[in-house]
Amino acid sequence: MLLRKETTESQRASASWSAATQRTFLVVVDNSAEMRVALRYATRRAQNTGGRVALMIAIEQTEFEQWMFVGNLMREEAREGAEQSLQRHAAAVGAVSGERPSLFVREGDRIREVFKLVNEEPSISVLVLGVGADPNDPGPLVRELTGRQAGKLRVPVTLVPGGLSDAEIDALA
């Protein structure tokens, strides 16, 4: 009887540890072609490893502070557009993995907001970025996070080549 109790407690502890350490793959949503490959990779990787996907979009702050009404209207429209974009991408993640991703809308500089979100959300364990097909311009996030900001993020960054097909991404994930 004692053996059973120990096994049950051990199983509960293991399940609790597993839930606490579930890997969350963060994808920064934008309108780039390389974001699509990052999203596909993160979704498949999460699906294959029992992890989750988180989507973040950053809204640039408006410069219409002297006309508060116009600034508020622009901010509201940008937020609605961002939320619609997140919902579209969340639906795509759900269609592939059967899981609904975590969604984050942030206001401010995209790089700063990525750092803040990663530091605020302990469940985020990997940042997944798509690399642009242009060898001279891998994309602003990739350029920043492999340049001046390299090594400052508390999680690993996975770079996915932007020219991969869905089948190639699925095979890698």
Side-chain angles (χ1 to χ4, degrees), residues 58-78:
I59 304 168
E60 296 293 326
Q61 294 177 328
T62 60
E63 298 295 325
F64 283 95
E65 297 305 319
Q66 64 272 26
W67 297 312
M68 190 181 341
F69 176 75
V70 174
N72 287 341
L73 184 61
M74 290 177 71
R75 189 174 295 116
E76 204 173 295
E77 288 175 353

Side-chain angles (χ1 to χ4, degrees), residues 26-31 35 39 43 53-59 78-95 99-107 117:
L26 175 63
V27 177
V28 180
V29 173
D30 60 18
N31 293 324
M35 189 279 304
L39 184 60
T43 302
V53 174
L55 304 178
M56 184 206 104
I57 194 165
I59 304 168
R79 188 169 206 46
E80 285 177 19
E83 288 173 359
Q84 288 173 357
S85 179
L86 279 179
Q87 292 300 331
R88 271 193 319 278
H89 294 298
V93 170
E99 295 275 333
R100 190 93 174 130
S102 301
L103 305 177
F104 300 94
V105 176
R106 307 298 286 246
E107 227 179 280
L117 179 60

